[in-house]
Amino acid sequence: MTVSRRAFLIWWIGGLVAFGIVIWLSSGITGGDVTLGILDHQAAGSAARVDEIQQQWLAGGVLDLARIAMIGDLVFIGIYGIGCVLAGYYYRSRSQIVLKAFGLTALVAGVLFLATDYGETIAQFIQLMELQGDDDLAGFAATLRLVKVFAFIAATLAVIGALLAERLSSRAS
């Protein structure tokens, strides 16, 4: 698969912009009597905790905003994950071994991020749309959370590392 630098950068930077929008949307959920946010929902781990969080959102009038934020999260996951995978393909095709290593890391971590964050968020979204916690879905989401965070950090650092290594190697030439 041949990927241009421009193509991966459009997806990857677009994903960062989408991430910022999701953070902004999610930040509007908490405030006043609503003390539990999206991160609490991700880590809930049980139907009872999910129900507590969702009831607080309902009582606080932010349930629709939580739904919009989760839909935004689903969009972000796709854009950013594809950006990391494309960066991985791009850098794996470079001749320098360090760029190939960063590329492989971005590719593997990007795929892992896509799988785990989609799994987590879809499990959350099902519970939110049904306004009913489910122990299996809550446990699944909470279990994927740590892997998702690790994959996100690894993919992000791999892309940044590749960009820096590429820049440094072009200056040395």
Side-chain angles (χ1 to χ4, degrees):
M1 173 182 223
T2 304
V3 175
S4 72
R5 186 175 196 276
R6 182 176 185 272
F8 99 71
L9 282 172
I10 288 170
W11 282 91
W12 190 71
I13 292 169
L16 291 174
V17 170
F19 187 50
I21 293 168
V22 168
I23 291 171
W24 175 72
L25 287 169
S26 298
S27 70
I29 293 170
T30 55
D33 292 336
V34 180
T35 59
L36 301 169
I38 295 287
L39 295 177
D40 299 299
H41 199 276
Q42 291 173 350
S46 72
R49 182 69 171 158
V50 168
D51 289 340
E52 174 188 354
I53 294 164
Q54 292 181 165
Q55 288 307 311
Q56 192 181 88
W57 292 348
L58 183 62
V62 295
L63 192 64
D64 286 339
L65 181 57
R67 288 180 175 140
I68 291 167
M70 279 194 203
I71 291 168
D73 196 19
L74 291 167
V75 172
F76 149 71
I77 295 163
I79 296 170
Y80 191 72
I82 289 169
C84 291
V85 168
L86 292 176
Y89 278 117
Y90 174 77
Y91 284 114
R92 282 188 57 226
S93 70
R94 303 295 95 188
S95 60
Q96 300 95 330
I97 191 74
V98 69
L99 294 180
K100 286 182 180 294
F102 278 130
L104 181 60
T105 303
L107 177 61
V108 171
V111 168
L112 186 59
F113 170 74
L114 280 164
T116 55
D117 205 3
Y118 267 134
E120 175 198 58
T121 305
I122 290 168
Q124 284 182 267
F125 194 66
I126 290 168
Q127 294 173 92
L128 184 57
M129 293 309 293
E130 293 179 357
L131 203 55
Q132 178 69 46
D134 177 279
D135 282 328
D136 291 333
L137 290 173
F140 181 69
T143 300
L144 291 179
R145 185 171 186 237
L146 181 61
V147 179
K148 170 216 50 177
V149 169
F150 170 78
F152 175 80
I153 292 169
T156 301
L157 292 177
V159 174
I160 291 170
L163 288 166
L164 289 173
E166 183 180 50
R167 176 99 171 151
L168 291 172
S169 71
S170 72
R171 283 188 173 181
S173 300

PDB file of all heavy atoms in Angstrom, residues 13 15 29-30 34 60-61 69 75 80 83 89 118 120 125 131 141 156 159 172:
ATOM      1  N   ILE A  13      -3.727  14.855  11.539  1.00  0.00           N
ATOM      2  CA  ILE A  13      -4.007  16.180  12.102  1.00  0.00           C
ATOM      3  C   ILE A  13      -5.512  16.390  12.232  1.00  0.00           C
ATOM      4  O   ILE A  13      -5.986  16.951  13.216  1.00  0.00           O
ATOM      5  CB  ILE A  13      -3.332  17.289  11.267  1.00  0.00           C
ATOM      6  CG1 ILE A  13      -1.810  17.179  11.412  1.00  0.00           C
ATOM      7  CG2 ILE A  13      -3.817  18.673  11.690  1.00  0.00           C
ATOM      8  CD1 ILE A  13      -1.009  18.043  10.451  1.00  0.00           C
ATOM      9  N   GLY A  15      -7.578  14.097  12.910  1.00  0.00           N
ATOM     10  CA  GLY A  15      -7.917  13.350  14.118  1.00  0.00           C
ATOM     11  C   GLY A  15      -7.611  14.132  15.376  1.00  0.00           C
ATOM     12  O   GLY A  15      -8.380  14.099  16.352  1.00  0.00           O
ATOM     13  N   ILE A  29     -20.219  18.419  29.857  1.00  0.00           N
ATOM     14  CA  ILE A  29     -21.114  17.495  30.563  1.00  0.00           C
ATOM     15  C   ILE A  29     -21.069  17.741  32.071  1.00  0.00           C
ATOM     16  O   ILE A  29     -22.099  17.724  32.734  1.00  0.00           O
ATOM     17  CB  ILE A  29     -20.759  16.031  30.220  1.00  0.00           C
ATOM     18  CG1 ILE A  29     -21.074  15.776  28.744  1.00  0.00           C
ATOM     19  CG2 ILE A  29     -21.505  15.051  31.123  1.00  0.00           C
ATOM     20  CD1 ILE A  29     -20.546  14.464  28.219  1.00  0.00           C
ATOM     21  N   THR A  30     -19.880  17.967  32.592  1.00  0.00           N
ATOM     22  CA  THR A  30     -19.760  18.162  34.034  1.00  0.00           C
ATOM     23  C   THR A  30     -19.891  19.633  34.388  1.00  0.00           C
ATOM     24  O   THR A  30     -19.531  20.515  33.622  1.00  0.00           O
ATOM     25  CB  THR A  30     -18.415  17.627  34.564  1.00  0.00           C
ATOM     26  OG1 THR A  30     -17.358  18.236  33.842  1.00  0.00           O
ATOM     27  CG2 THR A  30     -18.328  16.118  34.419  1.00  0.00           C
ATOM     28  N   VAL A  34     -23.701  17.976  38.143  1.00  0.00           N
ATOM     29  CA  VAL A  34     -23.179  16.854  37.364  1.00  0.00           C
ATOM     30  C   VAL A  34     -21.665  16.786  37.591  1.00  0.00           C
ATOM     31  O   VAL A  34     -20.910  17.605  37.082  1.00  0.00           O
ATOM     32  CB  VAL A  34     -23.501  16.990  35.863  1.00  0.00           C
ATOM     33  CG1 VAL A  34     -22.944  15.812  35.086  1.00  0.00           C
ATOM     34  CG2 VAL A  34     -25.001  17.109  35.652  1.00  0.00           C
ATOM     35  N   GLY A  60     -29.261  16.206  35.327  1.00  0.00           N
ATOM     36  CA  GLY A  60     -28.554  17.460  35.061  1.00  0.00           C
ATOM     37  C   GLY A  60     -28.836  18.050  33.697  1.00  0.00           C
ATOM     38  O   GLY A  60     -28.312  19.113  33.351  1.00  0.00           O
ATOM     39  N   GLY A  61     -29.633  17.354  32.886  1.00  0.00           N
ATOM     40  CA  GLY A  61     -30.006  17.870  31.569  1.00  0.00           C
ATOM     41  C   GLY A  61     -28.894  17.793  30.532  1.00  0.00           C
ATOM     42  O   GLY A  61     -28.926  18.536  29.547  1.00  0.00           O
ATOM     43  N   ALA A  69     -21.363  13.813  22.394  1.00  0.00           N
ATOM     44  CA  ALA A  69     -19.929  13.641  22.665  1.00  0.00           C
ATOM     45  C   ALA A  69     -19.474  12.230  22.305  1.00  0.00           C
ATOM     46  O   ALA A  69     -18.383  12.046  21.746  1.00  0.00           O
ATOM     47  CB  ALA A  69     -19.625  13.945  24.134  1.00  0.00           C
ATOM     48  N   VAL A  75     -16.454   9.296  15.735  1.00  0.00           N
ATOM     49  CA  VAL A  75     -15.888   9.932  14.541  1.00  0.00           C
ATOM     50  C   VAL A  75     -14.383  10.143  14.734  1.00  0.00           C
ATOM     51  O   VAL A  75     -13.578   9.815  13.851  1.00  0.00           O
ATOM     52  CB  VAL A  75     -16.613  11.262  14.233  1.00  0.00           C
ATOM     53  CG1 VAL A  75     -15.911  12.027  13.126  1.00  0.00           C
ATOM     54  CG2 VAL A  75     -18.077  11.011  13.879  1.00  0.00           C
ATOM     55  N   TYR A  80      -8.602   9.547  13.568  1.00  0.00           N
ATOM     56  CA  TYR A  80      -7.263   9.483  14.157  1.00  0.00           C
ATOM     57  C   TYR A  80      -6.629   8.109  13.954  1.00  0.00           C
ATOM     58  O   TYR A  80      -5.444   8.017  13.617  1.00  0.00           O
ATOM     59  CB  TYR A  80      -7.307   9.829  15.646  1.00  0.00           C
ATOM     60  CG  TYR A  80      -5.932  10.042  16.213  1.00  0.00           C
ATOM     61  CD1 TYR A  80      -5.211  11.181  15.887  1.00  0.00           C
ATOM     62  CD2 TYR A  80      -5.343   9.107  17.050  1.00  0.00           C
ATOM     63  CE1 TYR A  80      -3.936  11.391  16.384  1.00  0.00           C
ATOM     64  CE2 TYR A  80      -4.070   9.300  17.549  1.00  0.00           C
ATOM     65  CZ  TYR A  80      -3.374  10.445  17.217  1.00  0.00           C
ATOM     66  OH  TYR A  80      -2.105  10.643  17.698  1.00  0.00           O
ATOM     67  N   GLY A  83      -5.446   7.821  10.512  1.00  0.00           N
ATOM     68  CA  GLY A  83      -4.249   8.644  10.373  1.00  0.00           C
ATOM     69  C   GLY A  83      -3.002   7.942  10.880  1.00  0.00           C
ATOM     70  O   GLY A  83      -1.939   7.982  10.245  1.00  0.00           O
ATOM     71  N   TYR A  89       2.040   2.976   7.486  1.00  0.00           N
ATOM     72  CA  TYR A  89       2.356   2.514   6.128  1.00  0.00           C
ATOM     73  C   TYR A  89       3.370   3.433   5.455  1.00  0.00           C
ATOM     74  O   TYR A  89       4.299   2.978   4.787  1.00  0.00           O
ATOM     75  CB  TYR A  89       1.097   2.411   5.264  1.00  0.00           C
ATOM     76  CG  TYR A  89       0.321   1.139   5.474  1.00  0.00           C
ATOM     77  CD1 TYR A  89      -0.975   1.172   5.975  1.00  0.00           C
ATOM     78  CD2 TYR A  89       0.867  -0.104   5.163  1.00  0.00           C
ATOM     79  CE1 TYR A  89      -1.694   0.005   6.167  1.00  0.00           C
ATOM     80  CE2 TYR A  89       0.163  -1.276   5.353  1.00  0.00           C
ATOM     81  CZ  TYR A  89      -1.120  -1.209   5.854  1.00  0.00           C
ATOM     82  OH  TYR A  89      -1.824  -2.370   6.044  1.00  0.00           O
ATOM     83  N   TYR A 118     -12.916   1.621  19.623  1.00  0.00           N
ATOM     84  CA  TYR A 118     -14.256   1.374  19.077  1.00  0.00           C
ATOM     85  C   TYR A 118     -15.015   0.401  19.977  1.00  0.00           C
ATOM     86  O   TYR A 118     -16.200   0.609  20.265  1.00  0.00           O
ATOM     87  CB  TYR A 118     -14.203   0.847  17.638  1.00  0.00           C
ATOM     88  CG  TYR A 118     -14.303   1.928  16.593  1.00  0.00           C
ATOM     89  CD1 TYR A 118     -13.447   1.942  15.507  1.00  0.00           C
ATOM     90  CD2 TYR A 118     -15.269   2.927  16.665  1.00  0.00           C
ATOM     91  CE1 TYR A 118     -13.525   2.931  14.540  1.00  0.00           C
ATOM     92  CE2 TYR A 118     -15.354   3.917  15.709  1.00  0.00           C
ATOM     93  CZ  TYR A 118     -14.488   3.919  14.650  1.00  0.00           C
ATOM     94  OH  TYR A 118     -14.578   4.904  13.696  1.00  0.00           O
ATOM     95  N   GLU A 120     -14.672  -0.153  23.201  1.00  0.00           N
ATOM     96  CA  GLU A 120     -15.044   0.548  24.429  1.00  0.00           C
ATOM     97  C   GLU A 120     -16.198   1.519  24.197  1.00  0.00           C
ATOM     98  O   GLU A 120     -17.192   1.516  24.931  1.00  0.00           O
ATOM     99  CB  GLU A 120     -13.832   1.317  24.954  1.00  0.00           C
ATOM    100  CG  GLU A 120     -14.134   2.187  26.161  1.00  0.00           C
ATOM    101  CD  GLU A 120     -13.080   3.236  26.393  1.00  0.00           C
ATOM    102  OE1 GLU A 120     -12.831   4.061  25.473  1.00  0.00           O
ATOM    103  OE2 GLU A 120     -12.514   3.238  27.479  1.00  0.00           O
ATOM    104  N   PHE A 125     -21.843   3.400  24.277  1.00  0.00           N
ATOM    105  CA  PHE A 125     -22.931   4.028  23.533  1.00  0.00           C
ATOM    106  C   PHE A 125     -24.205   3.179  23.596  1.00  0.00           C
ATOM    107  O   PHE A 125     -25.306   3.720  23.712  1.00  0.00           O
ATOM    108  CB  PHE A 125     -22.502   4.286  22.088  1.00  0.00           C
ATOM    109  CG  PHE A 125     -23.415   5.206  21.345  1.00  0.00           C
ATOM    110  CD1 PHE A 125     -23.536   6.535  21.717  1.00  0.00           C
ATOM    111  CD2 PHE A 125     -24.154   4.759  20.267  1.00  0.00           C
ATOM    112  CE1 PHE A 125     -24.387   7.398  21.036  1.00  0.00           C
ATOM    113  CE2 PHE A 125     -25.003   5.607  19.572  1.00  0.00           C
ATOM    114  CZ  PHE A 125     -25.117   6.932  19.962  1.00  0.00           C
ATOM    115  N   LEU A 131     -30.212   3.738  27.988  1.00  0.00           N
ATOM    116  CA  LEU A 131     -30.302   4.342  29.319  1.00  0.00           C
ATOM    117  C   LEU A 131     -30.367   3.261  30.401  1.00  0.00           C
ATOM    118  O   LEU A 131     -31.120   3.347  31.363  1.00  0.00           O
ATOM    119  CB  LEU A 131     -31.487   5.311  29.424  1.00  0.00           C
ATOM    120  CG  LEU A 131     -31.381   6.369  30.513  1.00  0.00           C
ATOM    121  CD1 LEU A 131     -30.105   7.188  30.396  1.00  0.00           C
ATOM    122  CD2 LEU A 131     -32.600   7.259  30.538  1.00  0.00           C
ATOM    123  N   ALA A 141     -15.986  -2.443  28.452  1.00  0.00           N
ATOM    124  CA  ALA A 141     -15.476  -1.092  28.205  1.00  0.00           C
ATOM    125  C   ALA A 141     -14.341  -0.751  29.168  1.00  0.00           C
ATOM    126  O   ALA A 141     -13.300  -0.224  28.758  1.00  0.00           O
ATOM    127  CB  ALA A 141     -16.598  -0.066  28.318  1.00  0.00           C
ATOM    128  N   THR A 156       0.631   7.809  18.971  1.00  0.00           N
ATOM    129  CA  THR A 156       0.919   9.246  18.918  1.00  0.00           C
ATOM    130  C   THR A 156       2.420   9.506  19.007  1.00  0.00           C
ATOM    131  O   THR A 156       2.977  10.267  18.213  1.00  0.00           O
ATOM    132  CB  THR A 156       0.180   9.977  20.052  1.00  0.00           C
ATOM    133  OG1 THR A 156      -1.230   9.748  19.899  1.00  0.00           O
ATOM    134  CG2 THR A 156       0.454  11.470  20.031  1.00  0.00           C
ATOM    135  N   VAL A 159       4.224   8.453  15.751  1.00  0.00           N
ATOM    136  CA  VAL A 159       4.078   9.411  14.647  1.00  0.00           C
ATOM    137  C   VAL A 159       4.922  10.651  14.911  1.00  0.00           C
ATOM    138  O   VAL A 159       5.648  11.123  14.017  1.00  0.00           O
ATOM    139  CB  VAL A 159       2.598   9.773  14.412  1.00  0.00           C
ATOM    140  CG1 VAL A 159       2.472  10.875  13.357  1.00  0.00           C
ATOM    141  CG2 VAL A 159       1.798   8.547  13.985  1.00  0.00           C
ATOM    142  N   ALA A 172      20.179  16.922   8.181  1.00  0.00           N
ATOM    143  CA  ALA A 172      21.526  16.377   8.124  1.00  0.00           C
ATOM    144  C   ALA A 172      21.991  16.158   6.683  1.00  0.00           C
ATOM    145  O   ALA A 172      23.181  16.109   6.399  1.00  0.00           O
ATOM    146  CB  ALA A 172      21.604  15.063   8.891  1.00  0.00           C
TER     147      ALA A 172
END
